[in-house]
Amino acid sequence: MSKQEIPLERSGGCCTPISVAALDSTAAADGAAAFKALSDPIRLRLMSIIASSGDEVCVCDITPHFEVSGPTISHHLRVLREAGLVDCERRGTWVYYWSIPERLTWVSTLLSVPETAGA
């Protein structure tokens, strides 16, 4: 086993890129849940529709973009919500979704590569 000390990043708040410090097990599990949620093409597309709207989006406006059933869309939205990537509110018959910018920043920071001084 290597005696090299590996810096660990504690979860919570904004994170350090994985190219700078290793994640602790909690942050790794949290990140894996977010990446797993985004690993499905339908969920990634749902996320892009919601995040690019700049505001909340009614599920009634999302569903026509897909050739899958409403319950399937609801399932995928639930996975995104459980991963903390979106939140929602029911208003009467419809549910409105919006992205969580802090969570998207956290996910993107994980994979960011710090600029080097000479670049």
Side-chain angles (χ1 to χ4, degrees), residues 8-16 22-31 103 106 110:
L8 293 177
E9 176 63 30
R10 301 288 178 225
S11 65
C14 195
C15 64
T16 302
L23 298 172
D24 66 15
S25 60
T26 302
D30 197 25
R103 184 70 165 158
W106 188 85
L110 277 178

Side-chain angles (χ1 to χ4, degrees), residues 60-73:
C60 62
D61 294 325
I62 296 172
T63 304
H65 292 280
F66 297 90
E67 294 181 7
V68 295
S69 69
T72 299
I73 294 296

Side-chain angles (χ1 to χ4, degrees), residues 2-82:
S2 171
K3 295 190 185 241
Q4 181 181 7
E5 190 168 311
I6 300 172
L8 293 177
E9 176 63 30
R10 301 288 178 225
S11 65
C14 195
C15 64
T16 302
I18 59 174
S19 61
V20 173
L23 298 172
D24 66 15
S25 60
T26 302
D30 197 25
F35 287 119
K36 183 176 180 181
L38 293 172
S39 69
D40 183 277
I42 290 176
R43 289 194 291 266
L44 185 58
R45 193 159 166 234
L46 282 167
M47 190 70 228
S48 72
I49 290 170
I50 295 168
S52 67
S53 74
D55 198 5
E56 60 189 25
V57 182
C58 177
V59 71
C60 62
D61 294 325
I62 296 172
T63 304
H65 292 280
F66 297 90
E67 294 181 7
V68 295
S69 69
T72 299
I73 294 296
S74 293
H75 162 75
H76 287 298
L77 287 167
R78 181 178 53 81
V79 172
L80 292 173
R81 194 179 73 244
E82 289 175 353

